[in-house]
């Protein structure tokens, strides 16, 4: 082969290798099609079983994905248990005695390990479980990109600072979501996940006693359940109308000053962001469409790929 031909061949080879490497780094809904064809069905069945047993679990699995992705990306770091030599994210303030669904992920992972050992990552299970929970409760579906690895590390400190608390004002919310590459529209749409699930008294006590942007009757009823001290773990619906059905009523509640959390009502508190709240309150189709887009975008936050991370055999510990 002539030197010129060898050079051309080398360039083609480098380009081809680069294309293959780039493609392999992308998440794909069909990632397990050949290596574990029953993977999606197994996750879906596990989610359905869990929600049938406890309807609230759908919201918990959705929240688990959110809290995972906001700390070093969607890498299942939130699932790692603490050990004598390791402090993970479960005991961080936003997660401790609050984030749930770990046993559901464990059960799904166990089934997947029997069907195709060492193939499906815990991070992908969490992403799929969030989507399947929303669909099961009447919300929109979307294609979940797959192919993430699981992290071998976690960050308690980042979990304490990266996940926006329920006391956040609008400016802090925008900053938190922007830090993850998410727009204001993404933020408002994702906040609509509070159309399902429950919150503890400790999460909304400050709002019902201190906020002025709240319906007086609504606040008074909540004060009867959540006094200024005590009853910390009393639960209240995030959506006062349909807490077990994924719909747009959450946004209607905000228009009536009946958002449960301070951070919820901040979305409709005299700012331009309120126009999005009005749109979603009037048009469930627009909300569903934007929510699905935002979930796809959030699920792509810094996924561990290639030589980064591993496929954990047990979601609670590193191999």
């Amino acid at each position: 082969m002539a030197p010129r031909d060898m050079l051309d061949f080398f360039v083609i080879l480098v380009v081809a290798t680069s294309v293959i490497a780039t493609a392999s780094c992308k998440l794909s809904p069909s990632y397990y099609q050949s290596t574990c064809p029953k993977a999606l069905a197994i996750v879906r069945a596990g989610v359905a079983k869990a929600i049938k047993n406890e309807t609230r679990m759908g919201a918990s699995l959705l929240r688990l994905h959110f809290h995972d992705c906001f700390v070093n990306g969607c890498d299942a770091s939130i699932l790692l248990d603490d050990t004598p030599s390791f402090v993970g994210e479960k005991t961080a303030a936003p997660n401790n005695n609050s984030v749930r669904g770990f046993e559901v992920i464990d059960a799904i992972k166990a089934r997947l390990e029997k069907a195709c050992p060492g193939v499906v990552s815990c991070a992908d299970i969490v992403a799929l479980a969030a989507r399947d929970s929303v669909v099961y409760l009447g919300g929109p579906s979307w294609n979940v990109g797959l192919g993430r690895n699981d992290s071998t590390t976690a960050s308690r400190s980042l979990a304490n600072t990266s996940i926006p608390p329920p006391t956040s004002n609008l400016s802090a919310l925008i900053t938190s979501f922007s830090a993850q590459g998410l727009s204001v529209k993404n933020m408002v749409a994702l906040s609509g996940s509070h159309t399902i699930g429950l919150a503890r008294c400790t999460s909304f006590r400050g709002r019902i006693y201190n906020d002025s942007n709240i319906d007086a009757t609504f606040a008074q009823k909540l004060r009867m359940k959540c006094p200024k001290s005590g009853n910390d773990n009393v639960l209240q619906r995030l959506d006062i109308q349909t807490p077990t059905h994924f719909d747009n009523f959450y946004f209607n509640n905000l228009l009536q000053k009946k958002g449960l959390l301070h951070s919820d009502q901040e979305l409709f508190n005299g700012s331009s962001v309120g126009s999005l709240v009005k749109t979603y309150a009037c048009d469930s189709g627009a909300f569903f469409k934007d929510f699905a887009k935002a979930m796809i975008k959030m699920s792509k936050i810094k996924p561990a790929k290639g030589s980064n991370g591993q496929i954990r055999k047990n979601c609670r510990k590193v191999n």
Side-chain angles (χ1 to χ4, degrees):
M1 186 179 291
R4 176 65 184 178
D5 293 336
M6 290 182 66
L7 179 61
D8 291 342
F9 175 77
F10 178 74
V11 170
I12 292 171
L13 181 62
V14 170
V15 171
T17 303
S18 176
V19 170
I20 291 172
T22 301
S24 67
C25 289
K26 291 183 178 179
L27 301 177
S28 169
S30 60
Y31 185 79
Y32 297 112
Q33 187 170 330
S34 60
T35 56
C36 192
K38 294 183 179 180
L40 273 66
I42 290 174
V43 176
R44 191 182 310 116
V47 169
K49 180 180 179 181
I51 298 178
K52 285 179 182 177
N53 184 56
E54 182 195 5
T55 308
R56 181 189 175 198
M57 188 53 67
S60 296
L61 291 171
L62 176 58
R63 183 166 178 250
L64 184 64
H65 185 38
F66 176 86
H67 281 227
D68 180 35
C69 291
F70 263 57
V71 182
N72 278 334
C74 311
D75 60 2
S77 58
I78 195 172
L79 304 181
L80 291 170
D81 283 340
D82 288 358
T83 70
S85 60
F86 171 81
V87 178
E89 297 164 19
K90 287 182 176 179
T91 50
N95 300 330
N96 195 31
N97 297 318
S98 177
V99 173
R100 308 166 69 246
F102 301 114
E103 294 79 10
V104 176
I105 301 299
D106 289 341
I108 294 172
K109 177 62 173 176
R111 285 197 62 193
L112 286 167
E113 283 299 300
K114 287 183 179 180
C116 35
V119 173
V120 183
S121 70
C122 302
D124 281 346
I125 295 172
V126 172
L128 285 168
R131 189 273 308 274
D132 293 344
S133 293
V134 170
V135 172
Y136 189 91
L137 295 175
S141 184
W142 59 91
N143 288 325
V144 179
L146 303 168
R148 301 168 187 79
N149 286 344
D150 298 321
S151 172
T152 56
T153 61
S155 176
R156 189 173 189 267
S157 60
L158 280 179
N160 278 323
T161 57
S162 297
I163 300 170
T167 55
S168 297
N169 60 28
L170 183 60
S171 177
L173 287 171
I174 292 174
T175 298
S176 293
F177 279 76
S178 178
Q180 305 297 338
L182 298 169
S183 68
V184 170
K185 178 181 280 190
N186 296 151
M187 177 189 74
V188 177
L190 289 171
S191 296
S193 62
H194 286 177
T195 192
I196 53 175
L198 307 170
R200 295 187 299 162
C201 172
T202 52
S203 297
F204 60 85
R205 177 180 280 129
R207 168 156 168 73
I208 62 176
Y209 287 100
N210 302 322
D211 284 7
S212 58
N213 191 29
I214 187 170
D215 178 85
T217 302
F218 177 63
Q220 185 57 41
K221 287 182 178 179
L222 289 174
R223 288 170 187 165
M224 295 174 66
K225 298 180 180 181
C226 181
K228 289 187 176 180
S229 63
N231 288 1
D232 286 356
N233 293 318
V234 166
L235 297 171
Q236 177 62 30
R237 300 172 173 183
L238 282 163
D239 173 0
I240 59 176
Q241 300 181 69
T242 55
T244 60
H245 186 71
F246 197 98
D247 52 34
N248 66 333
F249 284 8
Y250 161 84
F251 296 104
N252 284 277
N253 295 335
L254 300 186
L255 297 184
Q256 300 171 42
K257 299 183 180 181
K258 294 180 180 180
L260 181 64
L261 306 180
H262 178 81
S263 56
D264 287 332
Q265 197 61 55
E266 278 290 290
L267 301 181
F268 191 70
N269 197 11
S271 72
S272 59
V273 176
S275 61
L276 281 169
V277 174
K278 290 181 179 179
T279 295
Y280 294 153
C282 297
D283 188 345
S284 61
F287 165 49
F288 278 21
K289 180 180 178 181
D290 288 348
F291 180 83
K293 287 182 177 179
M295 286 297 294
I296 291 171
K297 189 174 180 179
M298 185 186 78
S299 72
K300 293 179 180 179
I301 298 175
K302 293 187 290 187
K305 292 284 295 178
S307 60
N308 296 320
Q310 61 183 210
I311 306 299
R312 289 189 222 135
K313 297 176 182 178
N314 181 331
C315 292
R316 293 176 179 264
K317 62 183 182 180
V318 176
N319 293 343

